[in-house]
Amino acid sequence: MSLITENTSTESGPMNKTFEDLPLQTSKHVSLIQGLPGFEHLHTFIIADIQDYAPFCVLKSADQPEISMLAINAKLLAICKDVIVPERELDILGIQKITEADQYIILKADPRTQEITANVKAPLVFNPKSGMGNQVVIDDPHLSMEYPLKHELS
Amino acid sequence: MLILTRKSGESIRIGNNIIISILEGSTAQLKIGIDAPKSVAVYRNEIYEKIQEQNIAANASTAEIGNILLGLKKVNTPAIEEGR
């Protein structure tokens, strides 16, 4: 699936912006029952689409806005198709089938290579009705916490 | 740290509602069963620590990754429209 292409535009526009200037839109509040690993004291987050840069979105703490990370809807990543989320995790969220859930994958950049990687091993899984979720571990040795996003690009 | 010696088939109770059972054991590897309420998250510790590291690194690289995105241009993504 082709998600994004290199921006070769020379017109004024996004290339003249910094990331902090990008407007966010279509936000929703979610709650991580166990907190976010690494930031366990934070439970309430806002997921906001980045205007003009969908499907990328921002996961931002509602209580500590300086804690934020970029994410992508897992439904867009071929490697996340048909992953098996442990039944216990779905029970905790009150979800019958994984197809009912919203799933997001946290992204990070390697400071040395500037490569974007995706933690497909540990997606954020939410019940879209309650907004409650957790970061769960997928027990599949083929899934990595540093999956190069370029593998999903054409 | 509390240290207990257990054999296969024996178990340990933590509090009122967590039971850790030794299912199979050898000197090299143990197979354990964990019976805990849904409110208690259970992880392999080394995996949990790795997720913590990844999330901290993701937070640290938010501006950097965003600036990488500024060099990219969105194309049609019909799947996301269906999924949202």
Side-chain angles (χ1 to χ4, degrees), chain A residues 36-130:
Chain A
L36 186 67
F39 305 95
E40 285 81 357
H41 61 296
L42 300 176
H43 292 266
T44 306
F45 286 81
I46 297 162
I47 296 177
D49 292 334
I50 305 172
Q51 189 173 316
D52 298 331
Y53 287 86
F56 296 99
C57 57
V58 173
L59 176 76
K60 184 188 288 273
S61 165
D63 299 317
Q64 214 174 317
E66 68 272 23
I67 304 299
S68 67
M69 44 203 77
L70 292 200
I72 189 169
N73 191 317
K75 289 176 181 170
L76 281 174
L77 302 183
I79 195 169
C80 294
K81 191 181 176 193
D82 301 328
V83 296
I84 299 173
V85 176
E87 196 172 319
R88 184 174 192 269
E89 301 290 353
L90 296 179
D91 284 348
I92 291 169
L93 301 178
I95 296 171
Q96 304 287 323
K97 294 183 293 185
I98 187 59
T99 52
E100 298 171 8
D102 283 345
Q103 292 186 68
Y104 292 90
I105 302 295
I106 294 175
L107 307 174
K108 74 177 177 69
D110 184 309
R112 191 171 45 83
T113 64
Q114 294 281 293
E115 186 174 69
I116 300 175
T117 59
N119 186 352
V120 295
K121 178 83 173 171
L124 296 163
V125 179
F126 295 99
N127 180 329
K129 292 177 183 169
S130 66

Side-chain angles (χ1 to χ4, degrees), chain B residues 7-63:
Chain B
K7 298 175 185 171
S8 293
E10 295 181 337
S11 59
I12 296 167
R13 178 178 288 266
I14 300 174
N16 292 328
N17 49 17
I18 299 175
I19 297 174
I20 298 175
S21 302
I22 310 301
L23 304 178
E24 292 175 22
S26 70
T27 54
Q29 196 171 40
L30 288 177
K31 191 173 194 178
I32 62 174
I34 300 165
D35 186 5
K38 290 179 182 176
S39 59
V40 176
V42 178
Y43 296 94
R44 291 174 173 87
N45 190 48
E46 70 278 11
I47 299 285
Y48 188 81
E49 289 177 346
K50 182 76 175 164
I51 295 172
Q52 287 179 311
E53 289 172 13
Q54 290 293 317
N55 286 345
I56 290 168
N59 175 59
S61 73
T62 297

